[in-house]
């Protein structure tokens, strides 16, 4: 609290001195208010009050910011989003310390800072305030919190119901629109974390000031769902890197520190204490302090990490994020299938793409955003040119690419209009499975993908099964990339490596950023590739058309500024006149133990993968090297009680309903 | 103890079934004996006895192994090294359980297993037993332990003093010869760990059976020194990857579990409890159990990680491994300079090379061995062809390469005959420094290198200073590689990247395994390169000759089997008629914090590095961007009290003795 007070006249855009100084002041005011609340030490209140008064001296005189953005300009900052954030912090602090101020001081701060800014952000900026958009949430939350802080119900009403209090805009409308019914935010968890902050902070104030509004119960408890959905979307503490996500953001961010603390206050769910412990730090609120006390008191239980479908879109019908976990252990095998909608401007063209995580690490991965956040020497910390040109493109993903072009031709608007059509999502314990299809990503191609996690005694661990199909009447080239993480140890074919010259794999749509490092031909329609990461081996065994090739690639071509991470991939490539089907098994296996010098099961246990089709029904037959057979039936018609059958090697496999797992003999004989 | 007993007739070489089964049996017998000792449960003794008797039935009938190695063949195994290891384990178990056997059983096991094998390994294999070599230690330890187990002093005497008991060979001689006076083993820590096992196990038996021999006091406590030296050579739990080292071996290996437990038993040094806790597991011995009990009892203190010179060679005069640590914190900045001798057949051609570690990670690294230990699909788990062809070569190291050839022309014998000549090693707290020179690595080039760690208030953290010089009367090309770990963020020059075609950097001596990925010219004799790893930035700022180039490279060319890890490097390249001097500052700086979205000091704090020379004396002047100047004087003549002076920018800098650190004004004004 000894920092000298500096309230500079607005001048710099984001990142510049005056911008950063006003952000710092907001943090100082907020922290001082909270510390006063927690300790009762008058020095804190005194400091916060002085800073607020310093702003009261100058704020009314500030017109629009000299470096103002065209849309939604601010006065203290170049955009009013930052002004909303400032007021959100300061109004909370004012509520905490106002009793320590004289009537004159209160009058001055309320008139010249709080009301002046709240008026600017509400009536003065209707296009932001009334917008059903994340920036609107920051504005309404800031104005609503100001209302509670100074006791002006009018601000609260406007915040909740829109400027005209009709309910057509405002915070409640935003609660209805910005999350799906499952609490998913359509830009993905990296952005969800940020969007969540004003929701939980203002909702908590509503709950404390007007509990009769039952704000946390609205829309079937949507805000709690949103907090839980954000937590569910992490692995190893980091968010699933969907869309333009910076990979090292996760549950330890400030927004989630508040979110988890508030959720625990509301629910008493002791599983949240595990999340708090994994976060490893606290914020200056009574709710956060309660977390640390209850952890110390030994109340912690495991968080309920679950297999779940998070529907996307306002009504939950614009695709879904499908999360499949082998167990509740957060470090166990996880499959994430991106059957969501595009996710607006930060969305990636990765329809039906997927990621696999295991043993605390990424196994089959997504590049995330091409950006070095806050690192000035890397294009000022902004999104790099490689973000649009590579990271967003389909070839940068574990997703099917047709004719070396991206989904929707790389057109965001087209992407936003077309979500995948979902198939059934089922969890029977041994079989966890999802499917989806989309016929708009390419003009004349219908793609569908079914991905399952299967537990069977034929395999020591759960495996992932992937059936991806493209249906088309026209000739196309199909590329199916797998961005594997680790060191290649074995393939069932000979690789012709590009040992003395490397060249880019293509010219456009992200292909120009990949070096081709080797090529191979699948052997009799089978491709089997094994790699090692840390102490576990992973194999992908794929049934592919006879003429298929395998391309080995590495990120980093056409990268003059060394902006991209060097990460390897293999790509299954098929040219076909009439579509393609590829069935794969993704299998974690074995153990490499360098300390005691042994290696177990370094080879895949899969002997073959075969795909059979009868009518619209599919059957994938997996045969292990020790003669076990595991089958998976996938129905073309997913109605609940329809009967299905597929001819498999002379036999007919029959089942009812969308999916059927046919266990191995070993599994059955072991009484499972 | 329910495993069925299987004692197959010898047939397979290393890795095959009979080989592995006999190894497994030795472990079972050993563990059962130890468990009996710890628990008194007769079932364990019973099982061990049964297995020994099963061997007694068949061992005498076994002649030399059908797949025997030409040198040092075994009977149960293809080489008698494995037979020594087997007996080392089994004889200890026998000592533990013999009281539970009948006299007939004892007679049978002693005659048909223990004596039969001990005779084979001693009188029957004199060339191994009498050799002053690690394999000899396994043989003498096994035979000596057998002597104690059956009460035959003759075996013990032969083990300690050689077959003829003259003392010209045997365990005591090995103790004198195989470690340097500082406890360094000349193949490096990866091999030291393995070599240590028979020493500590047999010495402990000597201590328990004949304490009057004071074996742990011999040669000034050499065995304790060897254990401590092995521990000192780890970072983040893993051994410094010197020579043909597999990188994921470290202190948690079985050999060090025994070593630390025995050292603690001998010394009571509670710092060893920290090492044991970092090991995270225990072996089945009373000494190991005592460790865990004392940790539980809260006796643990920090291990004394130190800055030290470990002399190499029998008399400590064949070079040295120089370890410089910023603090006793094991995760703090560490500089390792390889001023050692060649290290025999597993040695790398990396004279005066170095590694830097920080924040628990490798920062400037050594490739280690090119080998996937025990991974069958990778050339049977053996050393890969890339081990000799790349990993051992000078260009694979942070070491000076002349004319794209390796030190000693890649001739191991020549390497073994020529160690560096050491300069003074000094630790004054603020200045920790070493130097060495060698004129035999290249026919007409004298190389010398001085490396220091400096603490000065001009830098928030310790920095490393490197002065490397080559003296020659002939024209040469000089390449100085830096294998940096992380993502390049900034350079003081423009890189011309190889964006659309990559080609190998050279044809031979390891250069063929490097892709050239970019080239640049140093700016006015200065090269400054910054990268980011995890949350810390690192910069190397080098003063180079005016015409120097910087080559950016990546491992992985000419690698048809995907055997090599893709790791980046930059190489400072100079062509010169008369030698070269390069002075560099290696500087950890700043912080990237993605969670709370800030980045501090992402730019190097170094404005310039200059090298001045007067006569044989050198002076390195480091100027920071905020105007501080730090100097380092390095004397040509290292005698203690000689006076030195160098003209620096018109001034004359004077000092006495081998080195002098000239602190910055800021450092002095802060009263340091
Ligand atoms: Zn993506
Ligand atoms: Zn090496």
């Amino acid at each position: 609290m000894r920092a000298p007070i500096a309230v500079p006249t607005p001048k710099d855009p984001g990142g510049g001195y005056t911008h950063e100084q006003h952000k710092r002041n907001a943090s100082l005011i907020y922290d001082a208010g909270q510390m006063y609340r927690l300790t009762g030490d008058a020095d804190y209140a005194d400091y916060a009050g002085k800073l607020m008064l310093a702003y009261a001296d100058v704020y009314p005189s500030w017109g629009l910011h000299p470096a103002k953005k065209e849309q939604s300009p601010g006065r203290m900052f170049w955009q009013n989003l930052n002004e909303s954030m400032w007021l959100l912090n300061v109004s909370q602090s004012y509520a905490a310390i106002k009793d320590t101020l004289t009537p004159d001081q209160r009058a001055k701060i309320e008139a010249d800072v709080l009301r002046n800014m709240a008026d600017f952000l509400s009536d003065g900026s209707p296009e932001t305030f009334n917008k059903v958009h994340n920036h609107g949430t920051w504005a309404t939350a800031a104005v609503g919190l100001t209302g509670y802080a100074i006791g002006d119900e009018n601000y609260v009403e406007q915040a909740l119901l829109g400027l005209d209090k009709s309910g057509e805009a405002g915070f409640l409308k935003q609660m209805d629109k910005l999350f799906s019914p499952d609490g998913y935010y359509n830009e993905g968890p990296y952005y969800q974390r940020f969007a969540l902050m004003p929701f939980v902070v203002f909702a908590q104030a509503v709950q404390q000031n007007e509990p009769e509004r039952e704000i946390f119960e609205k829309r079937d408890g949507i805000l709690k769902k949103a907090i839980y959905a954000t937590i569910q979307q992490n692995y190893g503490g980091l968010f699933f890197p969907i869309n333009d996500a910076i990979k090292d953001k996760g549950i330890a961010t400030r927004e989630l520190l508040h979110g988890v603390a508030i959720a625990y206050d509301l629910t008493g769910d002791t599983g949240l204490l595990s999340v708090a412990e994994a976060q490893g730090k606290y914020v200056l609120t009574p709710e956060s302090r309660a977390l640390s006390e209850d952890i110390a008191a030994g109340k912690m239980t495991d968080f309920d990490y679950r297999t779940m479908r998070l529907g996307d879109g306002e009504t939950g019908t614009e695709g879904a994020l499908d999360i499949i976990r082998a167990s509740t252990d957060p470090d166990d095998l996880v499959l994430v299938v991106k059957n969501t909608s595009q996710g607006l401007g930060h969305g990636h063209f990765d329809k039906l793409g997927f990621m696999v995580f295991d043993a605390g690490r990424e196994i089959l991965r997504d590049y995330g955003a091409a950006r070095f956040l806050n690192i000035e020497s890397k294009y000022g910390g902004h999104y790099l040119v490689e973000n649009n040109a590579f990271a967003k493109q389909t070839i940068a993903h574990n997703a099917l690419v047709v004719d070396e072009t991206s989904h929707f031709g790389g057109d965001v608007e087209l992407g936003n209009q077309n979500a995948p059509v979902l198939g059934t999502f089922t969890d029977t314990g041994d079989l966890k499975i999802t499917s989806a299809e989309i016929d708009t990503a390419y003009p004349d191609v219908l793609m569908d993908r079914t991905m399952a996690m299967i537990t069977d005694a034929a395999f020591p661990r759960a495996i992932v099964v992937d059936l991806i199909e493209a249906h088309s009447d026209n000739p196309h080239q199909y590329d199916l990339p797998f961005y594997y993480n680790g060191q290649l140890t074995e393939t069932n074919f000979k690789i012709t490596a590009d040992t003395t010259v490397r060249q880019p794999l293509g010219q456009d749509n992200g292909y120009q950023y990949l070096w081709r490092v080797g090529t191979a031909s699948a052997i009799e329609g089978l491709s089997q590739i094994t790699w090692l990461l840390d102490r576990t081996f992973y194999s992908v065994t794929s049934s592919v058309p006879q003429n298929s090739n395998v391309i080995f690639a590495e990120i980093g071509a056409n990268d003059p500024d060394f902006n991209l991470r060097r990460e390897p991939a293999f790509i299954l490539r098929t040219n076909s006149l009439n579509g393609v089907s590829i069935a794969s098994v993704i299998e974690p296996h074995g153990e490499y133990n360098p300390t005691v010098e042994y290696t177990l099961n370094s080879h895949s246990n899969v002997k073959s993968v075969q795909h059979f089709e009868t009518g619209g029904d599919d059957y994938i037959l997996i045969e292990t090297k020790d003669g076990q057979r595991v089958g998976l039936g996938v129905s073309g018609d997913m109605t609940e009680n329809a009967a299905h059958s597929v001819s498999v090697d002379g036999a007919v496999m029959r089942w009812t309903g969308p999916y059927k797992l046919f266990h191995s003999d070993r599994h059955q004989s072991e009484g499972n």
Side-chain angles (χ1 to χ4, degrees), chain A:
Chain A
M1 296 295 105
R2 299 216 181 94
I5 286 175
V7 177
T9 302
K11 172 171 165 288
D12 303 319
Y17 164 69
T18 68
H19 181 96
E20 294 299 323
Q21 180 61 24
H22 291 304
K23 278 171 66 180
R24 261 191 299 276
N25 283 341
S27 287
L28 285 168
I29 292 171
Y30 176 82
D31 287 349
Q34 296 296 343
M35 284 303 290
Y36 175 66
R37 220 163 36 130
L38 289 171
T39 68
D41 182 339
D43 282 357
Y44 291 112
D46 190 50
Y47 184 80
K50 274 196 186 128
L51 251 170
M52 291 181 203
L53 286 164
Y55 274 96
D57 284 340
V58 291
Y59 187 73
S61 70
W62 291 346
L64 287 182
H65 193 280
K68 67 176 187 284
K69 286 197 171 179
E70 201 157 322
Q71 290 191 337
S72 315
R75 290 161 60 195
M76 185 183 302
F77 297 98
W78 65 339
Q79 57 178 349
N80 67 23
L81 171 63
N82 296 104
E83 211 119 335
S84 297
M85 292 168 157
W86 194 95
L87 185 58
L88 182 124
N89 282 301
V90 172
S91 59
Q92 289 180 80
S93 182
Y94 182 76
I97 67 141
K98 66 177 173 182
D99 292 346
T100 70
L101 299 169
T102 67
D104 282 355
Q105 289 173 326
R106 278 204 295 273
K108 181 166 183 194
I109 293 169
E110 292 190 13
D112 293 341
V113 182
L114 301 176
R115 287 182 182 277
N116 196 310
M117 193 179 292
D119 291 342
F120 167 66
L121 290 172
S122 55
D123 291 321
S125 309
E127 70 296 338
T128 303
F129 191 85
N130 270 344
K131 200 171 181 180
V132 180
H133 177 278
N134 168 249
H135 290 194
T137 313
W138 285 98
T140 56
V143 170
L145 285 164
T146 302
Y148 285 128
I150 65 179
D152 185 335
E153 183 68 16
N154 186 53
Y155 284 129
V156 176
E157 290 279 315
Q158 284 193 315
L160 289 169
L161 301 168
L163 287 177
D164 65 1
K165 304 183 190 171
S166 70
E168 289 304 302
F171 190 83
L172 295 176
K173 192 63 156 185
Q174 290 155 353
M175 278 178 61
D176 282 346
K177 297 275 187 182
L178 291 181
F179 297 103
S180 80
D182 294 329
Y184 181 77
Y185 184 76
N186 85 336
E187 295 184 286
Y190 175 79
Y191 294 92
Q192 178 151 2
R193 154 201 66 83
F194 178 72
L196 206 54
M197 184 79 172
F199 276 112
V200 298
V201 170
F202 182 46
Q204 196 195 23
V206 174
Q207 177 68 18
Q208 285 167 353
N209 286 280
E210 304 179 80
E212 63 280 10
R213 288 192 187 266
E214 297 191 320
I215 191 143
F216 282 107
E217 305 314 315
K218 286 213 185 298
R219 208 181 159 207
D220 202 16
I222 190 65
L223 292 182
K224 280 180 281 186
K225 285 183 181 175
I227 296 169
Y228 273 90
T230 316
I231 297 169
Q232 292 283 357
Q233 292 177 76
N234 93 80
Y235 191 83
L238 302 178
F239 295 126
F240 301 150
I242 288 170
N243 298 329
D244 280 346
I246 307 287
K247 282 202 175 180
D248 30 28
K249 284 263 192 197
I251 57 172
T253 46
R254 185 176 162 80
E255 297 87 348
L256 259 276
L257 298 178
H258 282 284
V260 169
I262 290 171
Y264 181 64
D265 186 52
L266 290 168
T267 65
D269 171 4
T270 50
L272 292 169
L273 299 177
S274 292
V275 178
E277 200 199 41
Q279 289 174 328
K281 50 191 178 184
Y282 301 93
V283 283
L284 295 172
T285 65
E287 294 77 18
S288 191
R289 189 159 66 173
L291 281 179
S292 64
E293 286 167 358
D294 284 2
I295 290 173
K299 295 186 185 172
M300 190 168 80
T301 57
D302 287 343
F303 183 75
D304 185 26
Y305 282 107
R306 286 194 296 126
T307 289
M308 51 168 48
R309 164 164 277 180
L310 292 172
D312 190 4
E314 185 186 335
T315 59
T317 54
E318 297 171 47
L321 189 76
D322 292 322
I323 305 171
I324 295 181
R325 292 179 181 266
S327 72
T328 55
D329 174 357
D331 281 343
D332 203 346
L333 186 69
V334 174
L335 166 68
V336 177
V337 190
K338 189 162 180 273
N339 292 328
T340 67
S341 67
Q342 181 68 21
L344 309 179
H346 289 299
H348 285 197
F349 297 97
D350 57 351
K351 297 295 105 177
L352 319 188
F354 76 97
M355 289 170 271
V356 171
F357 303 84
D358 188 44
R361 301 283 302 268
E362 295 182 314
I363 306 305
L364 287 158
R365 56 191 168 182
D366 192 291
Y367 192 86
R371 179 183 188 186
F372 293 85
L373 184 65
N374 292 326
I375 298 181
E376 194 190 350
S377 59
K378 287 295 195 186
Y379 195 53
H382 301 298
Y383 288 102
L384 298 161
V385 66
E386 291 82 6
N387 190 58
N388 275 330
F390 176 70
K392 279 186 178 173
Q393 302 296 320
T394 308
I395 190 61
H397 294 86
N398 304 311
L400 190 69
V401 189
V402 178
D403 297 335
E404 302 189 21
T405 61
S406 285
H407 297 165
F408 308 113
D411 180 335
V412 177
E413 279 315 304
L414 196 59
N416 285 335
Q417 290 158 22
N418 293 282
V421 177
L422 297 175
T424 303
F425 182 87
T426 301
D427 176 1
T428 66
D430 284 351
L431 176 65
K432 296 159 182 164
I433 186 163
T434 176
S435 67
E437 65 176 41
I438 187 162
D439 64 1
T440 48
Y442 294 104
D444 64 340
V445 180
L446 165 65
M447 301 191 292
D448 61 62
R449 190 168 210 163
T450 300
M451 295 199 79
M453 195 180 285
I454 286 175
T455 303
D456 184 280
F459 292 92
R461 298 190 54 194
I463 59 171
V464 170
V465 177
D466 173 26
L467 174 62
I468 186 160
E469 295 189 295
H471 306 274
S472 180
D473 295 331
N474 299 313
H476 290 295
Q477 173 186 288
Y478 298 96
D479 281 350
L480 185 62
F482 292 82
Y483 281 86
Y484 70 97
N485 184 12
Q487 180 87 29
L488 196 72
T489 60
E490 196 170 18
T491 56
N492 73 325
F493 43 69
K494 170 98 189 88
I495 304 172
T496 302
D498 295 293
T499 53
T500 55
V501 179
R502 269 191 186 172
Q503 293 184 295
L505 185 57
Q507 298 304 316
D508 209 348
N509 301 317
Y511 279 75
Q512 70 272 35
Y513 294 97
L514 292 171
W515 295 112
R516 194 188 77 174
V517 304
T519 53
S521 298
I523 302 285
E524 293 177 8
L526 197 77
S527 161
Q528 187 167 66
I529 295 165
T530 302
W531 69 93
L532 172 65
L533 182 68
D534 293 344
R535 300 198 164 194
T536 308
F537 295 87
Y538 300 89
S539 290
V540 175
T541 308
S542 304
S543 159
V544 294
Q546 289 288 345
N547 64 344
S548 296
N549 293 316
V550 185
I551 297 167
F552 289 82
E554 213 173 282
I555 300 169
N558 281 293
D559 180 21
D561 298 322
F562 292 67
N563 282 340
L564 293 169
R565 298 188 302 272
R566 276 52 177 143
E567 296 180 346
F570 58 86
I571 300 168
L572 306 178
R573 173 171 288 184
T574 303
N575 282 282
S576 163
L577 298 176
N578 56 355
V580 70
S581 297
I582 297 175
S584 300
V585 172
I586 302 166
E587 174 200 11
H589 58 90
E591 184 185 356
Y592 163 64
N593 191 321
T595 302
V596 297
E597 297 207 0
Y598 68 74
T599 299
L600 299 172
N601 302 321
S602 66
H603 307 296
S604 168
N605 191 30
V606 175
K607 182 181 164 199
S608 70
V609 178
Q610 289 171 275
H611 173 219
F612 299 92
E613 203 161 0
T614 301
D617 296 330
D618 296 286
Y619 188 93
I620 298 163
L621 176 63
I622 304 158
E623 199 165 350
T624 65
K625 288 178 180 164
D626 51 359
Q628 296 295 309
R629 290 157 71 101
V630 177
L632 177 64
V634 178
S635 308
D637 162 13
M638 293 221 166
T639 51
E640 200 51 52
N641 293 310
H644 305 277
S645 64
V646 175
S647 298
V648 175
D649 267 350
V652 177
M653 310 306 290
R654 298 177 193 281
W655 72 92
T656 304
Y659 311 108
K660 169 74 177 175
L661 171 62
F662 295 83
H663 275 297
S664 66
D665 289 347
R666 181 183 298 152
H667 193 89
Q668 289 166 32
S669 73
E670 286 178 4
N672 289 298

